[in-house]
Amino acid sequence: MSSAATPVPPQSPFTTGRARLNIGQLAIDQLTFEEAVTEIGRLVDSRQGGYVFTANVDHVVLAEDHVPFREAYSRATISVVDGMPIVWASRAMDVPLPERIAGSDLILPLMKLGAERKWRVFLLGAGPGVAEKVGRIVSEQYGVEVVGWDSPMVRLDGGDAQNDPIVAKIREKDPHLLLVALGSPKQEVWISQVASKLGPTVSIGIGAGLDFIAGTAKRAPVWISRAGFEWLYRLVNEPKRLWRRYILNDSRFATILLREFWQRTGAKKAE
């Protein structure tokens, strides 16, 4: 898709005044990890609803052609960076991003904060029994109140007939925070579909975060993640599921970056 695609808003409606990096069709808030936890905490405590996404290379590529995914991102209250290649690229752009903020890394700090602030938490997604296991783990270790969990079969074309019973189950528990582990682009599009029905609940897309805590999926060692090779670690461990995403789809990221640099160079020359 060309750069003439529908642009994303330059600022989050919640983090007004904070710089955002526009890369491809996405906008990402310039936040440190600590600032991200603080901003999410403020959002949850405000009880105004909204949702948080964590942008990685795959998301930048998906947003080029996947219109519902791109539109979901354009309405995100907070968007943080979950990909070292984006962090590195941002340093040559107008809004450098300070560090990677993985959705899975946000979970436990938010559970600790939730225990302190008496949040109610609901877990959605992952395989059968995973959310329940994680609920028990974080309740015991952090004292946070996990009020429910569910692992529904979700289709993006399921409509109200599918979504309303799921939303009703969540609303019955009135959680402050909803962690959604459906994988991309499903979790982002689904969150955007139901956000207006969730009232004051804040949703966060966390990918494989519940599986990492439950031990049903392996996470790369910290040094591999910091080096920017977590994608390679996951590819080696799950080649059948991830080869198309990392080898074919994400190779387009380089093309998107070249376009970004070309546009920025042209804009500077025109000034």
mmCIF file of all heavy atoms in Angstrom, residues 53-105:
data_model
loop_
_atom_site.group_PDB
_atom_site.id
_atom_site.type_symbol
_atom_site.label_atom_id
_atom_site.label_comp_id
_atom_site.label_asym_id
_atom_site.label_seq_id
_atom_site.Cartn_x
_atom_site.Cartn_y
_atom_site.Cartn_z
ATOM 1 N N PHE A 53 -1.991 -0.955 22.939
ATOM 2 C CA PHE A 53 -1.371 -1.912 22.032
ATOM 3 C C PHE A 53 0.151 -1.791 22.114
ATOM 4 O O PHE A 53 0.685 -0.740 22.487
ATOM 5 C CB PHE A 53 -1.798 -1.660 20.588
ATOM 6 C CG PHE A 53 -3.243 -2.012 20.293
ATOM 7 C CD1 PHE A 53 -3.885 -1.478 19.180
ATOM 8 C CD2 PHE A 53 -3.964 -2.869 21.103
ATOM 9 C CE1 PHE A 53 -5.203 -1.790 18.891
ATOM 10 C CE2 PHE A 53 -5.285 -3.187 20.830
ATOM 11 C CZ PHE A 53 -5.898 -2.641 19.712
ATOM 12 N N THR A 54 0.838 -2.873 21.749
ATOM 13 C CA THR A 54 2.299 -2.891 21.756
ATOM 14 C C THR A 54 2.778 -3.209 20.344
ATOM 15 O O THR A 54 2.695 -4.344 19.888
ATOM 16 C CB THR A 54 2.828 -3.925 22.763
ATOM 17 O OG1 THR A 54 2.366 -5.227 22.421
ATOM 18 C CG2 THR A 54 2.340 -3.593 24.170
ATOM 19 N N ALA A 55 3.296 -2.213 19.673
ATOM 20 C CA ALA A 55 3.624 -2.322 18.248
ATOM 21 C C ALA A 55 4.976 -2.988 18.011
ATOM 22 O O ALA A 55 5.991 -2.563 18.563
ATOM 23 C CB ALA A 55 3.619 -0.932 17.613
ATOM 24 N N ASN A 56 4.973 -4.021 17.177
ATOM 25 C CA ASN A 56 6.226 -4.649 16.778
ATOM 26 C C ASN A 56 6.358 -4.599 15.256
ATOM 27 O O ASN A 56 5.514 -4.025 14.565
ATOM 28 C CB ASN A 56 6.314 -6.086 17.310
ATOM 29 C CG ASN A 56 5.158 -6.955 16.842
ATOM 30 O OD1 ASN A 56 4.596 -6.755 15.765
ATOM 31 N ND2 ASN A 56 4.792 -7.933 17.652
ATOM 32 N N VAL A 57 7.415 -5.199 14.730
ATOM 33 C CA VAL A 57 7.662 -5.176 13.292
ATOM 34 C C VAL A 57 6.506 -5.796 12.523
ATOM 35 O O VAL A 57 6.056 -5.274 11.497
ATOM 36 C CB VAL A 57 8.985 -5.913 12.967
ATOM 37 C CG1 VAL A 57 9.120 -6.160 11.463
ATOM 38 C CG2 VAL A 57 10.174 -5.113 13.475
ATOM 39 N N ASP A 58 5.989 -6.902 13.031
ATOM 40 C CA ASP A 58 4.870 -7.570 12.377
ATOM 41 C C ASP A 58 3.656 -6.655 12.290
ATOM 42 O O ASP A 58 2.947 -6.644 11.284
ATOM 43 C CB ASP A 58 4.516 -8.845 13.157
ATOM 44 C CG ASP A 58 3.531 -9.731 12.416
ATOM 45 O OD1 ASP A 58 3.727 -9.959 11.215
ATOM 46 O OD2 ASP A 58 2.568 -10.185 13.047
ATOM 47 N N HIS A 59 3.427 -5.862 13.318
ATOM 48 C CA HIS A 59 2.291 -4.948 13.322
ATOM 49 C C HIS A 59 2.456 -3.841 12.280
ATOM 50 O O HIS A 59 1.499 -3.464 11.601
ATOM 51 C CB HIS A 59 2.124 -4.314 14.696
ATOM 52 C CG HIS A 59 1.688 -5.275 15.752
ATOM 53 N ND1 HIS A 59 1.298 -4.882 17.006
ATOM 54 C CD2 HIS A 59 1.568 -6.629 15.736
ATOM 55 C CE1 HIS A 59 0.964 -5.937 17.723
ATOM 56 N NE2 HIS A 59 1.131 -7.013 16.971
ATOM 57 N N VAL A 60 3.684 -3.322 12.168
ATOM 58 C CA VAL A 60 3.942 -2.285 11.160
ATOM 59 C C VAL A 60 3.651 -2.825 9.759
ATOM 60 O O VAL A 60 3.032 -2.145 8.939
ATOM 61 C CB VAL A 60 5.397 -1.792 11.257
ATOM 62 C CG1 VAL A 60 5.724 -0.842 10.098
ATOM 63 C CG2 VAL A 60 5.639 -1.083 12.590
ATOM 64 N N VAL A 61 4.060 -4.059 9.504
ATOM 65 C CA VAL A 61 3.825 -4.666 8.193
ATOM 66 C C VAL A 61 2.336 -4.957 7.989
ATOM 67 O O VAL A 61 1.774 -4.662 6.933
ATOM 68 C CB VAL A 61 4.659 -5.961 8.050
ATOM 69 C CG1 VAL A 61 4.304 -6.690 6.760
ATOM 70 C CG2 VAL A 61 6.148 -5.630 8.083
ATOM 71 N N LEU A 62 1.688 -5.528 9.001
ATOM 72 C CA LEU A 62 0.259 -5.841 8.901
ATOM 73 C C LEU A 62 -0.575 -4.604 8.597
ATOM 74 O O LEU A 62 -1.537 -4.653 7.814
ATOM 75 C CB LEU A 62 -0.227 -6.453 10.213
ATOM 76 C CG LEU A 62 -0.168 -7.965 10.377
ATOM 77 C CD1 LEU A 62 -0.464 -8.343 11.827
ATOM 78 C CD2 LEU A 62 -1.150 -8.652 9.447
ATOM 79 N N ALA A 63 -0.223 -3.496 9.206
ATOM 80 C CA ALA A 63 -1.007 -2.270 9.056
ATOM 81 C C ALA A 63 -0.991 -1.718 7.642
ATOM 82 O O ALA A 63 -1.868 -0.929 7.272
ATOM 83 C CB ALA A 63 -0.501 -1.205 10.030
ATOM 84 N N GLU A 64 -0.034 -2.132 6.846
ATOM 85 C CA GLU A 64 0.027 -1.650 5.475
ATOM 86 C C GLU A 64 -1.203 -2.075 4.674
ATOM 87 O O GLU A 64 -1.740 -1.286 3.886
ATOM 88 C CB GLU A 64 1.295 -2.179 4.780
ATOM 89 C CG GLU A 64 2.583 -1.590 5.312
ATOM 90 C CD GLU A 64 2.718 -0.125 4.944
ATOM 91 O OE1 GLU A 64 2.779 0.180 3.739
ATOM 92 O OE2 GLU A 64 2.759 0.715 5.863
ATOM 93 N N ASP A 65 -1.656 -3.303 4.842
ATOM 94 C CA ASP A 65 -2.721 -3.857 4.006
ATOM 95 C C ASP A 65 -3.977 -4.259 4.771
ATOM 96 O O ASP A 65 -5.026 -4.429 4.171
ATOM 97 C CB ASP A 65 -2.204 -5.090 3.247
ATOM 98 C CG ASP A 65 -0.975 -4.785 2.415
ATOM 99 O OD1 ASP A 65 -0.973 -3.743 1.746
ATOM 100 O OD2 ASP A 65 -0.010 -5.575 2.463
ATOM 101 N N HIS A 66 -3.857 -4.441 6.087
ATOM 102 C CA HIS A 66 -4.980 -4.935 6.893
ATOM 103 C C HIS A 66 -5.732 -3.730 7.461
ATOM 104 O O HIS A 66 -5.383 -3.188 8.511
ATOM 105 C CB HIS A 66 -4.435 -5.817 8.018
ATOM 106 C CG HIS A 66 -5.455 -6.709 8.659
ATOM 107 N ND1 HIS A 66 -6.592 -6.219 9.265
ATOM 108 C CD2 HIS A 66 -5.501 -8.068 8.806
ATOM 109 C CE1 HIS A 66 -7.282 -7.227 9.769
ATOM 110 N NE2 HIS A 66 -6.641 -8.363 9.497
ATOM 111 N N VAL A 67 -6.784 -3.326 6.777
ATOM 112 C CA VAL A 67 -7.491 -2.094 7.134
ATOM 113 C C VAL A 67 -8.097 -2.135 8.535
ATOM 114 O O VAL A 67 -7.925 -1.189 9.315
ATOM 115 C CB VAL A 67 -8.561 -1.747 6.076
ATOM 116 C CG1 VAL A 67 -9.378 -0.533 6.499
ATOM 117 C CG2 VAL A 67 -7.899 -1.501 4.723
ATOM 118 N N PRO A 68 -8.831 -3.188 8.932
ATOM 119 C CA PRO A 68 -9.383 -3.210 10.297
ATOM 120 C C PRO A 68 -8.308 -3.130 11.374
ATOM 121 O O PRO A 68 -8.499 -2.485 12.409
ATOM 122 C CB PRO A 68 -10.139 -4.546 10.356
ATOM 123 C CG PRO A 68 -10.472 -4.849 8.930
ATOM 124 C CD PRO A 68 -9.296 -4.353 8.145
ATOM 125 N N PHE A 69 -7.171 -3.758 11.116
ATOM 126 C CA PHE A 69 -6.056 -3.717 12.066
ATOM 127 C C PHE A 69 -5.512 -2.295 12.175
ATOM 128 O O PHE A 69 -5.292 -1.778 13.279
ATOM 129 C CB PHE A 69 -4.960 -4.677 11.601
ATOM 130 C CG PHE A 69 -3.766 -4.765 12.505
ATOM 131 C CD1 PHE A 69 -3.838 -5.456 13.703
ATOM 132 C CD2 PHE A 69 -2.556 -4.181 12.146
ATOM 133 C CE1 PHE A 69 -2.726 -5.558 14.534
ATOM 134 C CE2 PHE A 69 -1.451 -4.271 12.969
ATOM 135 C CZ PHE A 69 -1.534 -4.959 14.170
ATOM 136 N N ARG A 70 -5.313 -1.660 11.039
ATOM 137 C CA ARG A 70 -4.809 -0.287 11.022
ATOM 138 C C ARG A 70 -5.776 0.664 11.724
ATOM 139 O O ARG A 70 -5.373 1.536 12.494
ATOM 140 C CB ARG A 70 -4.583 0.166 9.578
ATOM 141 C CG ARG A 70 -4.036 1.575 9.451
ATOM 142 C CD ARG A 70 -3.565 1.853 8.045
ATOM 143 N NE ARG A 70 -4.638 1.954 7.078
ATOM 144 C CZ ARG A 70 -4.808 1.114 6.054
ATOM 145 N NH1 ARG A 70 -4.009 0.077 5.901
ATOM 146 N NH2 ARG A 70 -5.785 1.296 5.193
ATOM 147 N N GLU A 71 -7.051 0.486 11.467
ATOM 148 C CA GLU A 71 -8.055 1.359 12.095
ATOM 149 C C GLU A 71 -8.133 1.118 13.597
ATOM 150 O O GLU A 71 -8.365 2.058 14.375
ATOM 151 C CB GLU A 71 -9.409 1.137 11.431
ATOM 152 C CG GLU A 71 -9.454 1.651 9.994
ATOM 153 C CD GLU A 71 -10.791 1.403 9.319
ATOM 154 O OE1 GLU A 71 -11.580 0.587 9.838
ATOM 155 O OE2 GLU A 71 -11.040 2.017 8.270
ATOM 156 N N ALA A 72 -7.951 -0.131 14.016
ATOM 157 C CA ALA A 72 -7.931 -0.426 15.451
ATOM 158 C C ALA A 72 -6.791 0.330 16.124
ATOM 159 O O ALA A 72 -6.957 0.927 17.196
ATOM 160 C CB ALA A 72 -7.785 -1.930 15.676
ATOM 161 N N TYR A 73 -5.619 0.309 15.502
ATOM 162 C CA TYR A 73 -4.467 1.026 16.048
ATOM 163 C C TYR A 73 -4.709 2.529 16.098
ATOM 164 O O TYR A 73 -4.271 3.205 17.030
ATOM 165 C CB TYR A 73 -3.220 0.738 15.218
ATOM 166 C CG TYR A 73 -2.226 -0.147 15.931
ATOM 167 C CD1 TYR A 73 -2.178 -1.518 15.690
ATOM 168 C CD2 TYR A 73 -1.311 0.388 16.844
ATOM 169 C CE1 TYR A 73 -1.265 -2.336 16.341
ATOM 170 C CE2 TYR A 73 -0.397 -0.421 17.492
ATOM 171 C CZ TYR A 73 -0.375 -1.781 17.247
ATOM 172 O OH TYR A 73 0.520 -2.574 17.906
ATOM 173 N N SER A 74 -5.395 3.058 15.109
ATOM 174 C CA SER A 74 -5.612 4.508 15.061
ATOM 175 C C SER A 74 -6.467 4.995 16.225
ATOM 176 O O SER A 74 -6.439 6.187 16.557
ATOM 177 C CB SER A 74 -6.268 4.900 13.728
ATOM 178 O OG SER A 74 -7.644 4.547 13.699
ATOM 179 N N ARG A 75 -7.213 4.069 16.847
ATOM 180 C CA ARG A 75 -8.071 4.445 17.976
ATOM 181 C C ARG A 75 -7.473 4.032 19.321
ATOM 182 O O ARG A 75 -8.106 4.210 20.367
ATOM 183 C CB ARG A 75 -9.454 3.818 17.800
ATOM 184 C CG ARG A 75 -10.229 4.366 16.604
ATOM 185 C CD ARG A 75 -11.656 3.848 16.588
ATOM 186 N NE ARG A 75 -11.726 2.439 16.254
ATOM 187 C CZ ARG A 75 -11.839 1.949 15.009
ATOM 188 N NH1 ARG A 75 -11.874 2.795 13.985
ATOM 189 N NH2 ARG A 75 -11.916 0.651 14.789
ATOM 190 N N ALA A 76 -6.274 3.466 19.324
ATOM 191 C CA ALA A 76 -5.642 3.037 20.580
ATOM 192 C C ALA A 76 -5.367 4.242 21.468
ATOM 193 O O ALA A 76 -4.881 5.276 21.006
ATOM 194 C CB ALA A 76 -4.352 2.282 20.292
ATOM 195 N N THR A 77 -5.643 4.099 22.739
ATOM 196 C CA THR A 77 -5.395 5.183 23.681
ATOM 197 C C THR A 77 -3.905 5.361 23.934
ATOM 198 O O THR A 77 -3.402 6.477 24.016
ATOM 199 C CB THR A 77 -6.103 4.903 25.021
ATOM 200 O OG1 THR A 77 -7.386 4.321 24.773
ATOM 201 C CG2 THR A 77 -6.278 6.174 25.822
ATOM 202 N N ILE A 78 -3.209 4.249 24.080
ATOM 203 C CA ILE A 78 -1.762 4.248 24.258
ATOM 204 C C ILE A 78 -1.178 3.183 23.348
ATOM 205 O O ILE A 78 -1.695 2.072 23.260
ATOM 206 C CB ILE A 78 -1.368 3.948 25.722
ATOM 207 C CG1 ILE A 78 -1.938 5.016 26.677
ATOM 208 C CG2 ILE A 78 0.145 3.878 25.877
ATOM 209 C CD1 ILE A 78 -1.750 4.681 28.151
ATOM 210 N N SER A 79 -0.089 3.524 22.659
ATOM 211 C CA SER A 79 0.599 2.575 21.788
ATOM 212 C C SER A 79 2.084 2.640 22.113
ATOM 213 O O SER A 79 2.692 3.716 22.045
ATOM 214 C CB SER A 79 0.360 2.947 20.314
ATOM 215 O OG SER A 79 1.121 2.130 19.456
ATOM 216 N N VAL A 80 2.667 1.502 22.505
ATOM 217 C CA VAL A 80 4.088 1.472 22.863
ATOM 218 C C VAL A 80 4.839 0.560 21.901
ATOM 219 O O VAL A 80 4.241 -0.178 21.123
ATOM 220 C CB VAL A 80 4.287 1.016 24.328
ATOM 221 C CG1 VAL A 80 3.618 1.995 25.286
ATOM 222 C CG2 VAL A 80 3.748 -0.403 24.542
ATOM 223 N N VAL A 81 6.162 0.603 21.957
ATOM 224 C CA VAL A 81 6.979 -0.143 20.998
ATOM 225 C C VAL A 81 7.411 -1.485 21.581
ATOM 226 O O VAL A 81 7.980 -1.551 22.667
ATOM 227 C CB VAL A 81 8.206 0.679 20.549
ATOM 228 C CG1 VAL A 81 9.117 1.021 21.728
ATOM 229 C CG2 VAL A 81 8.972 -0.057 19.454
ATOM 230 N N ASP A 82 7.140 -2.551 20.854
ATOM 231 C CA ASP A 82 7.532 -3.898 21.258
ATOM 232 C C ASP A 82 8.376 -4.515 20.147
ATOM 233 O O ASP A 82 8.010 -5.531 19.568
ATOM 234 C CB ASP A 82 6.287 -4.752 21.538
ATOM 235 C CG ASP A 82 6.635 -6.170 21.969
ATOM 236 O OD1 ASP A 82 7.822 -6.427 22.231
ATOM 237 O OD2 ASP A 82 5.731 -7.011 22.026
ATOM 238 N N GLY A 83 9.480 -3.873 19.826
ATOM 239 C CA GLY A 83 10.338 -4.404 18.769
ATOM 240 C C GLY A 83 11.621 -3.597 18.685
ATOM 241 O O GLY A 83 11.581 -2.392 18.408
ATOM 242 N N MET A 84 12.771 -4.239 18.923
ATOM 243 C CA MET A 84 14.040 -3.517 18.875
ATOM 244 C C MET A 84 14.330 -2.918 17.500
ATOM 245 O O MET A 84 14.891 -1.816 17.424
ATOM 246 C CB MET A 84 15.181 -4.435 19.317
ATOM 247 C CG MET A 84 15.250 -4.675 20.816
ATOM 248 S SD MET A 84 15.286 -3.156 21.810
ATOM 249 C CE MET A 84 16.777 -2.374 21.180
ATOM 250 N N PRO A 85 13.987 -3.573 16.377
ATOM 251 C CA PRO A 85 14.244 -2.922 15.088
ATOM 252 C C PRO A 85 13.554 -1.563 14.959
ATOM 253 O O PRO A 85 14.097 -0.637 14.343
ATOM 254 C CB PRO A 85 13.685 -3.930 14.078
ATOM 255 C CG PRO A 85 13.832 -5.244 14.753
ATOM 256 C CD PRO A 85 13.518 -4.959 16.197
ATOM 257 N N ILE A 86 12.365 -1.425 15.554
ATOM 258 C CA ILE A 86 11.670 -0.137 15.516
ATOM 259 C C ILE A 86 12.394 0.871 16.399
ATOM 260 O O ILE A 86 12.538 2.044 16.034
ATOM 261 C CB ILE A 86 10.199 -0.287 15.948
ATOM 262 C CG1 ILE A 86 9.474 -1.291 15.045
ATOM 263 C CG2 ILE A 86 9.489 1.066 15.919
ATOM 264 C CD1 ILE A 86 8.045 -1.576 15.473
ATOM 265 N N VAL A 87 12.850 0.427 17.573
ATOM 266 C CA VAL A 87 13.614 1.317 18.458
ATOM 267 C C VAL A 87 14.855 1.818 17.739
ATOM 268 O O VAL A 87 15.164 3.019 17.751
ATOM 269 C CB VAL A 87 14.005 0.592 19.762
ATOM 270 C CG1 VAL A 87 14.933 1.463 20.613
ATOM 271 C CG2 VAL A 87 12.769 0.222 20.570
ATOM 272 N N TRP A 88 15.594 0.910 17.101
ATOM 273 C CA TRP A 88 16.808 1.310 16.393
ATOM 274 C C TRP A 88 16.497 2.283 15.256
ATOM 275 O O TRP A 88 17.173 3.294 15.096
ATOM 276 C CB TRP A 88 17.517 0.071 15.839
ATOM 277 C CG TRP A 88 18.034 -0.852 16.897
ATOM 278 C CD1 TRP A 88 18.478 -0.514 18.157
ATOM 279 C CD2 TRP A 88 18.162 -2.268 16.808
ATOM 280 N NE1 TRP A 88 18.858 -1.638 18.845
ATOM 281 C CE2 TRP A 88 18.686 -2.729 18.049
ATOM 282 C CE3 TRP A 88 17.894 -3.206 15.808
ATOM 283 C CZ2 TRP A 88 18.937 -4.079 18.302
ATOM 284 C CZ3 TRP A 88 18.143 -4.551 16.057
ATOM 285 C CH2 TRP A 88 18.662 -4.974 17.294
ATOM 286 N N ALA A 89 15.473 1.974 14.481
ATOM 287 C CA ALA A 89 15.114 2.838 13.350
ATOM 288 C C ALA A 89 14.680 4.217 13.829
ATOM 289 O O ALA A 89 14.982 5.232 13.186
ATOM 290 C CB ALA A 89 14.005 2.191 12.533
ATOM 291 N N SER A 90 13.979 4.274 14.964
ATOM 292 C CA SER A 90 13.462 5.552 15.462
ATOM 293 C C SER A 90 14.576 6.539 15.794
ATOM 294 O O SER A 90 14.362 7.754 15.774
ATOM 295 C CB SER A 90 12.595 5.317 16.710
ATOM 296 O OG SER A 90 13.387 5.039 17.856
ATOM 297 N N ARG A 91 15.758 6.026 16.109
ATOM 298 C CA ARG A 91 16.877 6.903 16.482
ATOM 299 C C ARG A 91 17.374 7.738 15.313
ATOM 300 O O ARG A 91 18.073 8.728 15.502
ATOM 301 C CB ARG A 91 18.012 6.067 17.080
ATOM 302 C CG ARG A 91 17.619 5.446 18.418
ATOM 303 C CD ARG A 91 18.615 4.425 18.922
ATOM 304 N NE ARG A 91 18.129 3.800 20.168
ATOM 305 C CZ ARG A 91 18.658 2.711 20.707
ATOM 306 N NH1 ARG A 91 19.710 2.123 20.123
ATOM 307 N NH2 ARG A 91 18.159 2.214 21.827
ATOM 308 N N ALA A 92 17.009 7.316 14.102
ATOM 309 C CA ALA A 92 17.364 8.089 12.911
ATOM 310 C C ALA A 92 16.183 8.922 12.421
ATOM 311 O O ALA A 92 16.261 9.539 11.359
ATOM 312 C CB ALA A 92 17.836 7.149 11.801
ATOM 313 N N MET A 93 15.091 8.924 13.202
ATOM 314 C CA MET A 93 13.890 9.652 12.816
ATOM 315 C C MET A 93 13.651 10.820 13.774
ATOM 316 O O MET A 93 14.475 11.120 14.644
ATOM 317 C CB MET A 93 12.690 8.709 12.775
ATOM 318 C CG MET A 93 12.822 7.610 11.743
ATOM 319 S SD MET A 93 11.351 6.539 11.675
ATOM 320 C CE MET A 93 11.907 5.309 10.480
ATOM 321 N N ASP A 94 12.511 11.470 13.622
ATOM 322 C CA ASP A 94 12.225 12.682 14.378
ATOM 323 C C ASP A 94 11.827 12.427 15.827
ATOM 324 O O ASP A 94 11.949 13.321 16.667
ATOM 325 C CB ASP A 94 11.123 13.500 13.673
ATOM 326 C CG ASP A 94 9.934 12.639 13.261
ATOM 327 O OD1 ASP A 94 10.064 11.396 13.312
ATOM 328 O OD2 ASP A 94 8.892 13.198 12.879
ATOM 329 N N VAL A 95 11.339 11.234 16.154
ATOM 330 C CA VAL A 95 10.924 10.918 17.524
ATOM 331 C C VAL A 95 11.595 9.608 17.962
ATOM 332 O O VAL A 95 11.046 8.527 17.769
ATOM 333 C CB VAL A 95 9.387 10.786 17.636
ATOM 334 C CG1 VAL A 95 8.984 10.522 19.085
ATOM 335 C CG2 VAL A 95 8.689 12.033 17.112
ATOM 336 N N PRO A 96 12.789 9.684 18.550
ATOM 337 C CA PRO A 96 13.459 8.457 18.998
ATOM 338 C C PRO A 96 12.724 7.821 20.173
ATOM 339 O O PRO A 96 12.294 8.501 21.098
ATOM 340 C CB PRO A 96 14.849 8.950 19.419
ATOM 341 C CG PRO A 96 14.661 10.394 19.738
ATOM 342 C CD PRO A 96 13.594 10.888 18.806
ATOM 343 N N LEU A 97 12.546 6.511 20.100
ATOM 344 C CA LEU A 97 11.876 5.766 21.165
ATOM 345 C C LEU A 97 12.931 5.258 22.147
ATOM 346 O O LEU A 97 13.931 4.668 21.730
ATOM 347 C CB LEU A 97 11.079 4.601 20.581
ATOM 348 C CG LEU A 97 10.009 5.001 19.559
ATOM 349 C CD1 LEU A 97 9.401 3.766 18.911
ATOM 350 C CD2 LEU A 97 8.919 5.846 20.217
ATOM 351 N N PRO A 98 12.740 5.481 23.449
ATOM 352 C CA PRO A 98 13.801 5.181 24.417
ATOM 353 C C PRO A 98 14.113 3.710 24.629
ATOM 354 O O PRO A 98 15.267 3.345 24.862
ATOM 355 C CB PRO A 98 13.299 5.830 25.711
ATOM 356 C CG PRO A 98 11.825 5.975 25.537
ATOM 357 C CD PRO A 98 11.595 6.171 24.072
ATOM 358 N N GLU A 99 13.086 2.840 24.576
ATOM 359 C CA GLU A 99 13.346 1.429 24.843
ATOM 360 C C GLU A 99 12.155 0.576 24.421
ATOM 361 O O GLU A 99 11.058 1.076 24.217
ATOM 362 C CB GLU A 99 13.632 1.210 26.330
ATOM 363 C CG GLU A 99 12.501 1.610 27.263
ATOM 364 C CD GLU A 99 12.852 1.455 28.734
ATOM 365 O OE1 GLU A 99 13.420 0.399 29.100
ATOM 366 O OE2 GLU A 99 12.562 2.369 29.523
ATOM 367 N N ARG A 100 12.433 -0.716 24.320
ATOM 368 C CA ARG A 100 11.385 -1.672 23.982
ATOM 369 C C ARG A 100 10.486 -1.920 25.180
ATOM 370 O O ARG A 100 10.959 -2.038 26.319
ATOM 371 C CB ARG A 100 12.028 -2.989 23.543
ATOM 372 C CG ARG A 100 11.028 -4.082 23.210
ATOM 373 C CD ARG A 100 11.739 -5.379 22.886
ATOM 374 N NE ARG A 100 10.789 -6.421 22.515
ATOM 375 C CZ ARG A 100 10.802 -7.645 22.995
ATOM 376 N NH1 ARG A 100 11.714 -8.011 23.873
ATOM 377 N NH2 ARG A 100 9.924 -8.538 22.601
ATOM 378 N N ILE A 101 9.167 -2.010 24.915
ATOM 379 C CA ILE A 101 8.195 -2.257 25.980
ATOM 380 C C ILE A 101 7.302 -3.406 25.519
ATOM 381 O O ILE A 101 6.278 -3.206 24.864
ATOM 382 C CB ILE A 101 7.348 -0.996 26.258
ATOM 383 C CG1 ILE A 101 8.258 0.194 26.574
ATOM 384 C CG2 ILE A 101 6.385 -1.255 27.411
ATOM 385 C CD1 ILE A 101 7.530 1.523 26.609
ATOM 386 N N ALA A 102 7.701 -4.625 25.828
ATOM 387 C CA ALA A 102 6.934 -5.792 25.404
ATOM 388 C C ALA A 102 5.663 -5.932 26.230
ATOM 389 O O ALA A 102 5.672 -5.704 27.448
ATOM 390 C CB ALA A 102 7.781 -7.057 25.539
ATOM 391 N N GLY A 103 4.573 -6.318 25.579
ATOM 392 C CA GLY A 103 3.312 -6.517 26.288
ATOM 393 C C GLY A 103 3.439 -7.544 27.393
ATOM 394 O O GLY A 103 2.885 -7.380 28.488
ATOM 395 N N SER A 104 4.205 -8.606 27.125
ATOM 396 C CA SER A 104 4.373 -9.653 28.138
ATOM 397 C C SER A 104 5.161 -9.144 29.344
ATOM 398 O O SER A 104 4.972 -9.627 30.466
ATOM 399 C CB SER A 104 5.062 -10.872 27.527
ATOM 400 O OG SER A 104 6.222 -10.497 26.817
ATOM 401 N N ASP A 105 6.046 -8.158 29.130
ATOM 402 C CA ASP A 105 6.803 -7.595 30.250
ATOM 403 C C ASP A 105 5.957 -6.658 31.101
ATOM 404 O O ASP A 105 6.288 -6.396 32.262
ATOM 405 C CB ASP A 105 8.021 -6.825 29.726
ATOM 406 C CG ASP A 105 9.112 -7.735 29.205
ATOM 407 O OD1 ASP A 105 9.162 -8.910 29.638
ATOM 408 O OD2 ASP A 105 9.907 -7.293 28.358
#
